[in-house]
Amino acid sequence: MMLIGILLIYGIGPFVSISASSSVGVAILVVQLLTFSFMPESPYYLLMKNKREEARRALQIFRSSQDVDEELEEIAQVVEAENKARRRPLELVTVNSNRKAFAILTVLSFAQHYAGISVMLMNIHIIFKDVATIIPPSSAAILFSACMLLACVIAAFLIDSLGRKVLLYSSSFLTGIFLLILATYFAMKENNINVSEYNWVPIVAVMLYALTFKCGLGLIPIVMTAELYPTNLKALGCTAADAMYLIAGTSSIYIFHYLQRNCGMHAPFILFGCCCIFSGLFSLLIIPETKGKTLEEIQKLLKGEAKSIKRGCEECTKLEKCHLLDHIVGKSDYNSV
């Protein structure tokens, strides 16, 4: 929906006044204010406040089913266990699993912006200056946002089949490659090399960037923000992640303009490309796969408990029948284990 909003403003912005395009934004916000008040609270939140019946009704709405007793009981057990734990704000960094979640989301927040997305959205007319003979910059901006929307729709169908990690590191590596291609083009141009025959490179690189970025690096961090923290720290953790996101966005725009003025247009894109490669390696080596796992299972992954169980199964002579190993790959019920 965010991308639809970007596409909408890119689509009407060049052809109407600022007040007219702003009025469209206001109209959408008014609709949200009038409708979102009917959204139920999270069942986790309601159970934390001891409002079990409200949690049941909320879960029935979210699941479009009346039979939610089993899932409600599972959530209640998790919430009860976490409510017994101490909930000081400092636990965000003093508890190992929370600290790891905070570190992962901080890196991913910076990775998103240091992949250049804010710079692209705010300076796309500068980047497309050389392709005016091929496509008008305003049309290129519309195409850019449409590519991101398409990538997001595709990723929605892939995220639960391929998993978070595969999309994340694949997206990071490919995004980095296209940013480095863009940097190479600008470096050649700034060194007075004739690139008139290659003025199609920026638009192709940026469109491929839009597709690869939004398939993983521009999407997975948003999903993982809601998955990594325990219930008793989720609100604080999400707020901290959002703060890191804003700091990363502000600093990336400042660094872009500083490097552009002092080193040339190629310099910030070299930096952004290298950051993408780093985030790909970080995703591949550090970030756990959360696909298909419950909140409790994700917390065990962050604490390293699931790994220790798996190591304990390595000497099992009948791995295909090992219940503990089944649990690790998500084939059996945790409570029965």
Side-chain angles (χ1 to χ4, degrees), residues 39 53 83 136 155 162 170 197 250 296:
M39 175 69 70
E53 286 307 310
N83 278 341
L162 294 181
S170 300
E197 294 183 3
T250 304
E296 186 176 9

Side-chain angles (χ1 to χ4, degrees), residues 167-187:
L167 285 178
L168 191 53
Y169 67 72
S170 300
S171 167
S172 298
F173 288 135
L174 290 172
T175 301
I177 290 170
F178 294 127
L179 285 170
L180 293 175
I181 291 173
L182 192 61
T184 302
Y185 173 86
F186 284 120

Side-chain angles (χ1 to χ4, degrees), residues 239-253:
T239 303
D242 195 45
M244 294 298 103
Y245 185 83
L246 293 172
I247 291 170
T250 304
S251 60
S252 69
I253 295 168

